[in-house]
């Protein structure tokens, strides 16, 4: 069973940066596609970005493109989300997710494995 463990969340001022990490374990062969989602209170969970084992990254919206960068380490066991120029609207619980269905869809129902979430709070 794939296990995901997020870290790196916290409280930052607007304009600041955070880097989230997601360590994947529990898989024997290939690493699944991995992605970041976020959910603010009262809002739907939305995809942020995904990355396959080859390092191909996709981003969900223009709101994060150019500010957020998804990447992975050399061993492909850890996925990162570098978040720059943070604003209040970025405040949310951020979740790491994984699927063996491929990275074709960035929707919650497409992903089978989830981390516990890490809180990101942006203040002024």
């Amino acid at each position: 069973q794939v296990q995901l463990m997020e870290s790196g969340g916290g409280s930052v001022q607007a304009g600041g940066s955070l880097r989230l990490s997601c360590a994947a374990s529990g898989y024997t062969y290939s690493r699944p596609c991995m992605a970041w989602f976020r959910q603010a209170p009262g809002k739907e969970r939305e995809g942020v970005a995904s990355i396959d084992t080859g390092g191909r990254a996709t981003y969900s919206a223009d709101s994060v493109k150019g500010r957020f960068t998804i990447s992975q380490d050399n061993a492909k066991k850890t996925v990162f989300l570098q978040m720059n120029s943070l604003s209040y609207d970025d405040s949310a619980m951020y979740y790491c997710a994984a699927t063996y269905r491929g990275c074709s869809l960035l929707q919650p129902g497409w992903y089978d494995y989830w981390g516990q979430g890490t809180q990101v709070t942006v203040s002024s």
Side-chain angles (χ1 to χ4, degrees):
Q1 188 85 336
V2 176
Q3 299 170 0
L4 306 174
M5 186 177 302
E6 300 118 321
S7 62
S11 180
V12 298
Q13 290 188 325
S17 299
L18 283 174
R19 190 178 78 155
L20 308 182
S21 299
C22 177
S25 62
Y27 59 91
T28 303
Y29 303 104
S30 61
R31 198 209 74 191
C33 167
M34 295 176 65
W36 287 98
F37 290 78
R38 66 184 183 183
Q39 186 170 26
K43 295 185 178 181
E44 294 286 312
R45 186 170 299 187
E46 63 174 351
V48 177
S50 66
I51 188 168
D52 63 16
T53 56
R56 181 170 57 184
T58 58
Y59 298 90
S60 62
D62 293 335
S63 61
V64 303
K65 189 178 299 183
R67 298 190 301 119
F68 290 10
T69 302
I70 190 169
S71 62
Q72 59 192 4
D73 65 0
N74 294 136
K76 303 179 181 181
K77 294 181 67 70
T78 304
V79 171
F80 306 97
L81 184 67
Q82 179 67 46
M83 305 185 294
N84 299 325
S85 301
L86 287 165
S87 68
Y88 177 80
D89 292 337
D90 297 314
S91 297
M93 183 72 74
Y94 283 72
Y95 297 92
C96 180
T99 179
Y100 283 110
R101 299 188 180 103
C103 289
S104 58
L105 293 177
L106 193 55
Q107 299 176 3
W110 191 252
Y111 287 78
D112 303 300
Y113 308 98
W114 294 85
Q116 81 286 352
T118 184
Q119 181 68 46
V120 172
T121 302
V122 184
S123 63
S124 60

